[in-house]
Amino acid sequence: MTYYDAGDNTQVFNSVWYPNPKYNLPVLGIDLLSFNQKKYLAIVDFQPIHENEEDHALPFEEHLKPIKEKYDSLKGRMSSKFYDETQFFSQEMLFARFEDESIVNKDLFPAFQEYVQTHLKLVRETEPVSEEMPFILERQKAYDTYSAQRDPATGLFAAMFGEEWADGFVYDFLFALSSKKEESKQEVAAR
């Protein structure tokens, strides 16, 4: 979990909850951002770790759909600038860009609480599948690598603290299971 507070200019809350790999459960991913108290971005999702969403997300989406249905303001779609929403994102992802601060308390906070409670309930009620632990851990690593390579916060951190610090923070802390891919400057610029 990270919280970056640059006063009214920028505030970022990021949290990624990895269930113990003995449970075949999605990762709970949370990103809440505020810019100048005028623009907001929110993502809350049960992020499937399997390559085929049908293999992983569908069994859990039935728990999320009734929650998402209550909040029209959280039914947005992300752009493909950083992420492919077909990889490591569910169909029931809460996504919103908005300028009306009242949405935070009216929709975002209650939906966030319901997603967190639902995830906790699944963790408590799911039977362990110890024989699948190596596979699940590999998929969590793949999730981390994918996320570290694409996280737009890396640019923000690099501007504030330098590129070396930003890379270390993203690869070694935020997504500690990730494998750092050495990229050429052309590959980075093409993203």
Side-chain angles (χ1 to χ4, degrees):
M1 176 171 55
T2 59
Y3 179 67
Y4 175 74
D5 185 349
D8 290 346
N9 189 34
T10 306
Q11 294 194 3
V12 178
F13 174 78
N14 169 269
S15 185
V16 184
W17 299 18
Y18 298 82
N20 186 312
K22 70 181 178 181
Y23 300 108
N24 188 13
L25 291 170
V27 169
L28 175 62
I30 303 161
D31 283 300
L32 309 173
L33 299 90
S34 170
F35 302 100
N36 299 314
Q37 293 186 321
K38 293 179 182 169
K39 293 188 180 200
Y40 301 87
L41 174 68
I43 302 168
V44 182
D45 194 18
F46 282 23
Q47 298 184 266
I49 58 170
H50 294 260
E51 291 183 71
N52 269 332
E53 186 174 348
E54 293 79 26
D55 293 341
H56 201 239
L58 290 179
F60 307 107
E61 288 182 358
E62 68 185 43
H63 300 282
L64 303 177
K65 190 172 186 162
I67 300 168
K68 184 177 180 179
E69 286 300 316
K70 294 190 279 186
Y71 303 102
D72 288 336
S73 66
L74 304 178
K75 294 179 185 176
R77 305 288 298 198
M78 72 167 65
S79 78
S80 59
K81 183 176 180 180
F82 297 104
Y83 297 104
D84 173 356
E85 69 180 22
T86 65
Q87 291 186 20
F88 298 110
F89 293 97
S90 79
Q91 294 298 312
E92 300 305 325
M93 169 181 54
L94 301 177
F95 182 87
R97 282 189 180 101
F98 54 92
E99 295 180 7
D100 179 0
E101 187 177 16
S102 71
I103 291 173
V104 173
N105 289 322
K106 183 176 63 106
D107 293 345
L108 180 58
F109 191 61
F112 162 81
Q113 288 178 308
E114 289 182 69
Y115 267 51
V116 169
Q117 289 302 317
T118 301
H119 199 266
L120 289 172
K121 184 175 188 267
L122 284 172
V123 169
R124 288 185 197 115
E125 295 175 356
T126 299
E127 292 294 321
V129 286
S130 298
E131 67 279 358
E132 292 185 34
M133 279 182 65
F135 172 74
I136 293 166
L137 188 56
E138 278 305 309
R139 293 308 304 158
Q140 288 180 349
K141 289 178 182 179
Y143 168 85
D144 265 20
T145 299
Y146 177 86
S147 298
Q149 290 173 347
R150 289 163 179 79
D151 194 326
T154 305
L156 171 74
F157 294 136
M160 301 295 282
F161 307 111
E163 190 174 324
E164 184 178 337
W165 185 93
D167 280 349
F169 183 70
V170 170
Y171 280 91
D172 300 330
F173 179 74
L174 289 181
F175 302 107
L177 298 175
S178 64
S179 297
K180 194 174 213 176
K181 175 184 163 197
E182 294 303 320
E183 295 180 295
S184 68
K185 294 288 183 192
Q186 293 87 6
E187 288 175 310
V188 172
R191 276 200 274 153

